[in-house]
Amino acid sequence: MKLTERLGKEWVFFDGGMGTILQAHGLKAGELPETWNLSHPDEIIALNRSYFEAGCDVVNTNTFGANALKYPDNLREIVEAAVNHAKTARSLAGREEAFVALDIGPTGKLLQPMGDLPFERAVELFSETIRIGAAAGADLVLIETMSDSYEAKAAVLAAKESCDLPVVVTTIFDEKGKLLTGGTVDSVVAMLEGLRVDALGVNCGLGPVQMKPIIKRLTEVSSLPIVVNPNAGLPRSENGTTVFDIDAEEFATLMGEIAGMGVHALGGCCGTTPAHISKMIEVCRKKPFAAPVPKHRTVVSSFSQTVEIGPKPVIIGERINPTGKSKFKAALRENNIEYILGEGMAQEDSGAHILDVNVGLPEIDEPLMIERVVTRLQSVIALPLQIDTSNTEAMERGMRLYNGKPMINSVSGKMESMEAVFPLVRKYGGVVVGLALDENGIPATAEGRIQVAKKIYDTAEKYGIPHEDIVIDGLAMTISSDSGSALVTLETLRRVRGELHGHSILGVSNISFGLPQREIVNSNFFTMALQSGLSCAIINPNMDAMMRSYRAYLALANLDEQCAGYIAAYGNQPAASAAPAAAGGAAMPLGESIERGLGERAVQAAKEMLQTAVPLDVVNGELIPALDRVGKGFEKGTVFLPQLLMSAEAAKAAFEVVKEAMKGEDQQTKGKIILATVKGDIHDIGKNIVKVLLENYAYQVLDLGKDVPPEVIVDTAIREDIKVVGLSALMTTTVVSMEETIRQLREKKPDTKVVVGGAVLTQEYADSIGADCYAKDAMATVHFADSVFGV
């Protein structure tokens, strides 16, 4: 029986910890766990076997960190050995019906534009490992411990393109229900369901108790089988060894409670053992099993936000489109991406929920341009995007590089169109706009348009695209040439909602083409369309008349509780929507340019300020306060990691201009700080984030890199007389190196303060290994450094 025949139909049990158990068996600090596939094969086989014998249906290979970045010379040997060890263990345990999962962990790198790893290079890295593992006989691909939805997408595409095995994905959330890069349960589920993974869930980072709110939300929004693999509570250090605070009995009891929450597969992560898993299976196997329930939600998402279509009308901003816009056309020709970003930001501030992105001009390379625009937009704007193009190559490029589940504009009822677009939607996921026209043109009647809509629904279903991922465009045709066209469109909207039980969309302003004072017609038609059931409106949200119609309709239709949105926009109190950002090429102050993450504008604004202000005033009056505002937003959860990093990069670019103006002057820094990822760990995401921020706050950072032995850190601290050392680790198997580094610093450089961070750390753990500060996020490190240096 295949795993997909069991997932979601009966209990499936995954295995538990790997690295923490290998540590107990002698894995040294900084030693790479995957090397034991070659140096200690009997240990790996025995551990795999113990999980099969404990009753696990799925046992992972020892390949969490196996990629070409870490193993450029012997990746094949390591992966093949790991798969063969698991298969051997399965045979020895007499469990041939069980499954071997090829375990795929993160690369440890941030993807561009936040980091330096190109998206397609990430796909290549994952693909290489997956091809080897699939050929060696793995039964499924388990992509786990993903803290970045973009990297998770790269891994899923690699799996789908490299093999035909089932794909399961588990991500790592913090206690606020956020990924490192800002993703939420809703946004992750939307993207992974769109990519057609076979199951999804959560692992690592938290224990069963802390995971419960996340699990609850997973069960509310996901239609797929849900996998839950928590740690054995929270870690602490005892006598140089990492231990966890939940034993097998308590773990089983807690997992029994989770089994009753509507999940479908259970296992463990760091700190769990075959004893934990055996007890868990004993308890959970007796619990009633409930199959996943399809949620039938129409959802689009960005890296951090989801928009559900249906509960109330959605505004799609239309301004990122060259049609009739000479300045926008010029921006495309000149590759002026920041002009485009400005148009997006203005619409976000004015109340748009989704941004339409159309960059098609005959004289430009549209696939390349949509790649640039989509990747930049999603790094500074949290709104989901609608990829709008008739060029299928550009459409695929935009969908592939999009971090989330986009809207796609569009497909028509023509077979040629559906055969081109639906395979892309099937592969990458998305909510697709279905134009109610076909080979016979635009039907003159609502009945004709409904028939085309039915054809689109039926054909989409053949591609495995559900009804809820289609939004029908009833086609707003100008009344200047056909005075009855608005009535046909409105009837189509009503029938899409009432007869087809579907969702609709319109390019509202088309209705007034060729008429004077178009805003009058547009705003009134918009209200009529909303009353007729319009789900999504493509409009200019910067137009007051359109947004007044929208907000008034929501208030009148009881879709704006206590008229809160209406009052916020038009009452006396300040509201963000009342002061939209400058669009396009309009001037933007330095501080706002930094907050928005617009590097080129920040550079220009800095140059302009330096004409009338001294350099230090620019730094102290604009640069640092802007970074402080972004940092506070990050700490509050209103600003996410991509925006934080882009703001830091913008500040860095502006600071370079200021430094140039200060040539010959004393450019003092606050102090020198060492940063390092500890021995055995190649994951430098956290370290690199901290480095960017510290440098922007005028610290000189000595970045020692990754996999750094304690002796190198200590010697550098002594030689450079360092006051603060920052240590990072992602894996439980490497935090022991962190403890050893602190021990040596205390012995040889006792006046140096140590700040630690990483996904596996807690305040209690940091205290137990003697750290001076536990930094829960990058800004906490900046605050600690300021306290040490007396800033």
Side-chain angles (χ1 to χ4, degrees):
M1 181 180 288
K2 296 180 180 178
L3 178 64
T4 50
E5 295 172 352
R6 294 184 58 186
L7 273 173
K9 300 175 181 64
E10 60 182 83
W11 289 116
V12 173
F13 297 107
F14 283 66
D15 68 4
M18 170 74 71
T20 46
I21 294 178
L22 295 184
Q23 278 184 310
H25 288 192
L27 182 74
K28 297 175 183 176
E31 190 177 5
L32 301 178
E34 295 82 15
T35 60
W36 275 39
N37 294 324
L38 306 180
S39 61
H40 297 72
D42 292 342
E43 293 275 4
I44 301 301
I45 292 170
L47 177 53
N48 288 157
R49 179 178 178 176
S50 67
Y51 277 124
F52 282 120
E53 291 176 341
C56 295
D57 303 299
V58 179
V59 172
N60 299 340
T61 58
N62 181 29
T63 53
F64 177 83
N67 60 63
L69 292 177
K70 188 183 285 188
Y71 300 102
D73 301 320
N74 59 346
L75 178 65
R76 177 175 296 277
E77 187 181 9
I78 283 173
V79 175
E80 288 179 343
V83 175
N84 288 331
H85 294 337
K87 290 164 64 179
T88 298
R90 179 173 59 186
S91 295
L92 291 172
R95 293 290 312 284
E96 295 298 340
E97 81 286 357
F99 305 96
V100 170
L102 179 67
D103 192 10
I104 301 292
T107 61
K109 294 283 189 180
L110 268 178
L111 274 61
Q112 291 179 347
M114 290 188 295
D116 58 4
L117 183 64
F119 181 84
E120 293 298 353
R121 176 58 179 149
V123 175
E124 289 174 6
L125 288 167
F126 290 124
S127 295
E128 185 175 2
T129 302
I130 291 167
R131 281 194 296 268
I132 296 169
D139 301 303
L140 69 143
V141 177
L142 173 64
I143 299 164
E144 62 149 312
T145 320
M146 287 289 167
S147 59
D148 177 9
S149 59
Y150 206 30
E151 185 174 28
K153 179 172 183 175
V156 172
L157 289 178
K160 296 281 188 177
E161 293 170 355
S162 303
C163 68
D164 59 0
L165 300 179
V167 178
V168 177
V169 182
T170 57
T171 50
I172 177 170
F173 292 94
D174 62 21
E175 290 188 54
K176 295 179 181 177
K178 297 286 181 65
L179 300 184
L180 171 70
T181 50
T184 64
V185 170
D186 290 47
S187 66
V188 170
V189 168
M191 185 193 76
L192 293 179
E193 288 190 345
L195 290 169
R196 271 73 183 178
V197 302
D198 296 287
L200 56 81
V202 60
N203 81 291
C204 204
L206 302 171
V209 175
Q210 296 83 8
M211 272 189 185
K212 283 185 176 181
I214 296 163
I215 296 165
K216 181 176 183 294
R217 188 58 185 165
L218 277 169
T219 62
E220 290 169 349
V221 298
S222 178
S223 301
L224 292 177
I226 295 169
V227 182
V228 178
N229 295 332
N231 290 344
L234 301 177
R236 65 181 187 276
S237 178
E238 285 186 1
N239 302 317
T241 302
T242 302
V243 298
F244 289 78
D245 61 5
I246 293 180
D247 62 19
E249 291 284 350
E250 185 179 0
F251 186 80
T253 299
L254 291 169
M255 293 303 282
E257 295 171 5
I258 288 173
M261 294 177 68
V263 304
H264 312 98
L266 299 162
C269 201
C270 299
T272 59
T273 65
H276 284 78
I277 301 303
S278 177
K279 283 288 184 183
M280 177 196 76
I281 293 172
E282 181 183 334
V283 169
C284 295
R285 195 187 297 280
K286 302 171 186 176
K287 298 288 182 179
F289 181 85
V293 177
K295 303 304 188 295
H296 300 299
R297 301 167 74 234
T298 301
V299 176
V300 295
S301 69
S302 67
F303 72 92
S304 66
Q305 290 189 14
T306 44
V307 174
E308 183 176 0
I309 296 169
K312 66 180 182 180
V314 169
I315 300 296
I316 302 175
E318 68 180 8
R319 297 298 297 169
I320 302 178
N321 190 316
T323 305
K325 304 180 187 71
S326 58
K327 288 184 178 180
F328 195 93
K329 290 178 181 178
L332 290 176
R333 294 188 186 103
E334 297 163 8
N335 195 30
N336 184 357
I337 304 299
E338 292 212 351
Y339 178 94
I340 300 170
L341 299 183
E343 289 288 352
M345 290 172 179
Q347 294 178 96
E348 181 179 35
D349 289 347
S350 293
H353 306 114
I354 298 170
L355 298 181
D356 184 78
V357 179
N358 185 320
V359 295
L361 279 182
E363 64 267 37
I364 70 169
D365 183 339
E366 187 179 354
L368 179 60
M369 181 56 72
I370 207 162
E371 174 181 333
R372 290 172 176 166
V373 171
V374 165
T375 52
R376 285 296 305 279
L377 274 170
Q378 66 187 8
S379 68
V380 298
I381 292 177
L383 298 183
L385 304 182
Q386 174 172 272
I387 297 169
D388 183 358
T389 179
S390 58
N391 181 323
T392 52
E393 182 185 352
M395 183 180 289
E396 177 165 20
R397 196 67 190 145
M399 294 173 75
R400 186 175 180 86
L401 293 175
Y402 183 68
N403 187 2
K405 181 183 178 184
M407 285 194 79
I408 307 300
N409 192 4
S410 57
V411 69
S412 73
K414 297 178 181 179
M415 288 307 300
E416 179 184 15
S417 174
M418 292 188 286
E419 289 171 355
V421 173
F422 283 153
L424 299 181
V425 178
R426 169 69 187 175
K427 179 175 182 178
Y428 298 107
V431 173
V432 62
V433 174
L435 303 177
L437 62 88
D438 59 12
E439 288 84 356
N440 298 315
I442 299 174
T445 65
E447 173 61 26
R449 296 180 192 185
I450 292 298
Q451 291 306 314
V452 174
K454 289 179 178 178
K455 179 166 65 171
I456 292 172
Y457 281 132
D458 292 344
T459 307
E461 190 175 345
K462 294 176 182 177
Y463 284 88
I465 299 167
H467 186 281
E468 58 263 26
D469 280 348
I470 304 292
V471 177
I472 298 299
D473 189 336
L475 303 176
M477 311 300 293
T478 179
I479 57 173
S480 64
S481 59
D482 179 358
S483 59
S485 65
L487 298 177
V488 172
T489 300
L490 294 172
E491 183 186 347
T492 303
L493 296 179
R494 289 191 289 270
R495 292 184 64 180
V496 167
R497 180 179 61 177
E499 184 179 322
L500 302 183
H501 307 293
H503 300 303
S504 58
I505 187 171
L506 284 180
V508 175
S509 61
N510 293 340
I511 203 72
S512 65
F513 187 77
L515 293 174
Q517 300 291 325
R518 295 180 63 188
E519 193 174 301
I520 298 172
V521 176
N522 290 347
S523 59
N524 282 280
F525 174 68
F526 185 24
T527 301
M528 296 170 71
L530 291 169
Q531 193 169 7
S532 297
L534 179 64
S535 309
C536 306
I538 304 175
I539 66 169
N540 178 1
N542 302 329
M543 298 292 288
D544 285 343
M546 300 301 284
M547 294 307 291
R548 286 174 186 147
S549 294
Y550 175 70
R551 293 185 179 113
Y553 171 79
L554 293 183
L556 292 165
N558 195 27
L559 296 173
D560 181 9
E561 189 173 352
Q562 297 182 325
C563 301
Y566 183 88
I567 293 169
Y570 305 117
N572 292 327
Q573 71 270 37
S577 56
M588 185 180 286
L590 176 57
E592 187 178 351
S593 299
I594 290 170
E595 289 182 69
R596 297 287 193 170
L598 300 178
E600 292 176 20
R601 291 194 184 191
V603 166
Q604 186 59 38
K607 290 178 179 177
E608 292 171 359
M609 281 197 70
L610 287 168
Q611 294 175 11
T612 57
V614 297
L616 281 177
D617 286 348
V618 175
V619 173
N620 296 325
E622 289 287 333
L623 277 167
I624 297 301
L627 280 172
D628 285 341
R629 290 192 294 272
V630 173
K632 288 176 182 176
F634 179 69
E635 290 169 341
K636 291 178 182 177
T638 57
V639 171
F640 303 108
L641 182 62
Q643 296 153 312
L644 177 73
L645 291 180
M646 297 310 293
S647 294
E649 288 298 324
K652 184 177 180 181
F655 189 59
E656 290 301 317
V657 174
V658 176
K659 284 200 296 185
E660 185 67 24
M662 294 172 67
K663 274 189 174 178
E665 298 182 26
D666 185 14
Q667 300 180 31
Q668 290 186 343
T669 64
K670 293 178 181 178
K672 288 190 290 188
I673 296 176
I674 283 176
L675 292 182
T677 301
V678 297
K679 183 178 179 182
D681 205 320
I682 67 159
H683 300 84
D684 58 2
I685 289 177
K687 172 183 66 65
N688 291 343
I689 293 168
V690 172
K691 178 183 177 182
V692 169
L693 289 183
L694 285 171
E695 288 178 339
N696 274 281
Y697 278 86
Y699 286 102
Q700 181 184 348
V701 175
L702 304 182
D703 183 358
L704 301 185
K706 57 199 176 188
D707 190 17
V708 186
E711 295 77 16
V712 172
I713 297 170
V714 173
D715 289 347
T716 307
I718 294 170
R719 183 175 66 251
E720 300 290 337
D721 191 21
I722 298 296
K723 287 187 176 181
V724 175
V725 169
L727 302 177
S728 173
L730 174 74
M731 302 182 297
T732 5
T733 54
T734 58
V735 289
V736 288
S737 295
M738 186 178 282
E739 184 174 9
E740 174 61 18
T741 303
I742 294 173
R743 188 193 67 76
Q744 291 191 26
L745 280 168
R746 294 288 181 258
E747 179 183 329
K748 299 178 181 178
K749 188 74 167 61
D751 61 327
T752 297
K753 302 295 184 182
V754 182
V755 53
V756 298
V760 296
L761 293 178
T762 63
Q763 181 67 60
E764 183 183 359
Y765 195 100
D767 293 342
S768 69
I769 63 175
D772 297 289
C773 175
Y774 163 57
K776 199 165 188 177
D777 55 46
M779 283 305 301
T781 305
V782 174
H783 297 324
F784 179 70
D786 284 347
S787 70
V788 172
F789 286 94
V791 178

